Amino acid sequence: MKAFRIFGRSIRDAVKSVIRNFSLSFASIMCTTITLLLVSVAIICAVNINNATKSIEDELSIVVYLDREVTEETIENIKADIESQKNVEEVEFKSKTEWKDEMSEYDDTFSTVLNYLDENPLSDSFIVKVVNVEKLSDTAEYIKSINGVDVVKYGEGMVDDVISAFDVVKKVVAIVVIALILVTAFLISNTIKLTIFSRRSAIEIMRLVGASNLTIKIPFIIEGFIIGVIGSIIPICVTIYGYVVLYSLLNGHVFSNMIVLLKPYNFVFYVSGVLLIIGAIVGMFGSLLAVRKYLKI
């Protein structure tokens, strides 16, 4: 019961401190709000970039054109050899007849030319999907060495450049998110330091009457929690409303149909939950740092 009384009194003192030092608390809340807005934008960008990257990676494949003289037995051997590779997820055979039909449907000119020829000039092939696109070029090089394989196409340099670019963007966004979280902790910590300095006489009296370190610390930690939670309310509202409007305006994709945005629900609620947790934890952590470092208790 004593623990509950201490905790209840700590909550009361924390709320009173936020109200009593409203100017300092308001400044910290505004800084937290602005920072969490930036964090929200960074998280939304990071998750959508990651989703776009995965979608593009899922579409990447290796097209293996076979020698025109290969027999059915050789085709089966080539398929088995390709499937034996650890990085190969799926191998689909596509005959030259299927290629002809597909190209004829795609363009009337192709259809006219192909129908004019006495013999189908296209080659049988395999469409190979890989597990790890970062090893796409290595897998393609191995397939090239298989007897009976004529040409291997996978986009070569362009694919490598796209993968590298997305990887750099993901790392930069992750660094930005971490930096913004640290800035939020620093701002809240500084606000709590000023609050502590203004209440140093009361804290000294609490020490003299025998209050434990934990009893002195808890109100400040709860105060940081309150500041963090209040500071996350506006970013959460802006995130939910803003992303829904943005998704609607852009019709669910950016620049082209290749970069598809995640649907708002339940994505916005996930981001909102993350913002609330970040605000609360960072607020508490910033307060704890201030108490431990500057009160020396």
Side-chain angles (χ1 to χ4, degrees):
M1 293 299 294
K2 182 181 177 181
F4 285 109
R5 284 199 304 271
I6 293 173
F7 188 70
R9 189 165 55 247
S10 297
I11 294 176
R12 181 196 63 196
D13 293 342
V15 173
K16 283 183 178 179
S17 177
V18 171
I19 297 172
R20 190 182 301 119
N21 302 281
F22 183 73
S23 58
L24 293 175
S25 299
F26 182 75
S28 184
I29 289 169
M30 285 298 98
C31 290
T32 304
T33 297
I34 293 170
T35 309
L36 287 180
L37 280 172
L38 296 175
V39 171
S40 175
V41 172
I43 291 174
I44 289 172
C45 290
V47 175
N48 275 291
I49 288 171
N50 187 62
N51 181 66
T53 304
K54 190 176 184 307
S55 297
I56 292 173
E57 289 177 351
D58 289 341
E59 294 299 320
L60 293 178
S61 58
I62 303 171
V63 182
V64 183
Y65 296 101
L66 307 179
D67 290 334
R68 294 179 56 78
E69 294 79 16
V70 292
T71 63
E72 290 188 9
E73 182 181 355
T74 304
I75 291 174
E76 289 300 320
N77 292 335
I78 295 172
K79 182 179 181 181
D81 198 349
I82 295 173
E83 289 177 333
S84 68
Q85 298 303 301
K86 292 182 179 179
N87 194 41
V88 172
E89 180 180 3
E90 181 184 345
V91 180
E92 178 189 354
F93 177 73
K94 200 166 188 177
S95 68
K96 57 186 178 182
T97 303
E98 290 175 313
W99 276 116
K100 179 181 177 181
D101 293 340
E102 186 176 307
M103 294 177 72
S104 297
E105 291 177 3
Y106 178 76
D107 190 280
D108 291 338
T109 303
F110 278 129
S111 178
T112 303
V113 172
L114 291 172
N115 290 329
Y116 178 77
L117 299 173
D118 295 330
E119 185 178 351
N120 188 343
L122 305 176
S123 300
D124 294 328
S125 64
F126 287 112
I127 310 297
V128 181
K129 289 190 176 295
V130 298
V131 177
N132 185 357
V133 294
E134 293 181 0
K135 298 179 181 179
L136 187 70
S137 58
D138 294 336
T139 305
E141 287 299 321
Y142 174 80
I143 294 174
K144 282 181 183 178
S145 65
I146 298 175
N147 186 35
V149 172
D150 183 20
V151 179
V152 175
K153 294 290 183 181
Y154 65 97
E156 284 80 9
M158 183 187 71
V159 170
D160 295 333
D161 291 341
V162 169
I163 293 172
S164 298
F166 274 124
D167 189 50
V168 169
V169 171
K170 284 191 289 186
K171 288 178 180 177
V172 169
V173 172
I175 292 171
V176 170
V177 171
I178 293 171
L180 289 172
I181 291 172
L182 293 176
V183 168
T184 305
F186 175 76
L187 292 172
I188 293 176
S189 177
N190 280 342
T191 300
I192 299 298
K193 288 175 202 171
L194 293 174
T195 304
I196 291 170
F197 182 77
S198 67
R199 293 164 59 187
R200 61 190 183 281
S201 298
I203 293 170
E204 188 61 32
I205 292 172
M206 292 175 67
R207 281 175 168 171
L208 292 173
V209 299
S212 66
N213 288 346
L214 185 62
T215 302
I216 299 174
K217 287 179 183 180
I218 289 177
F220 291 106
I221 295 173
I222 294 175
E223 186 176 337
F225 173 83
I226 293 171
I227 290 173
V229 169
I230 294 175
S232 67
I233 293 174
I234 293 177
I236 287 173
C237 294
V238 171
T239 296
I240 294 174
Y241 180 75
Y243 188 76
V244 170
V245 171
L246 180 68
Y247 185 89
S248 177
L249 289 174
L250 296 177
N251 293 320
H253 56 79
V254 181
F255 302 126
S256 70
N257 291 328
M258 288 185 65
I259 304 178
V260 179
L261 295 173
L262 287 168
K263 292 182 178 179
Y265 309 105
N266 295 313
F267 175 57
V268 289
F269 299 124
Y270 158 76
V271 177
S272 298
V274 171
L275 293 177
L276 182 63
I277 291 171
I278 290 175
I281 292 178
V282 168
M284 294 170 66
F285 181 70
S287 298
L288 182 61
L289 286 179
V291 173
R292 291 183 62 182
K293 185 174 181 180
Y294 291 91
L295 288 185
K296 305 295 182 184
I297 59 176

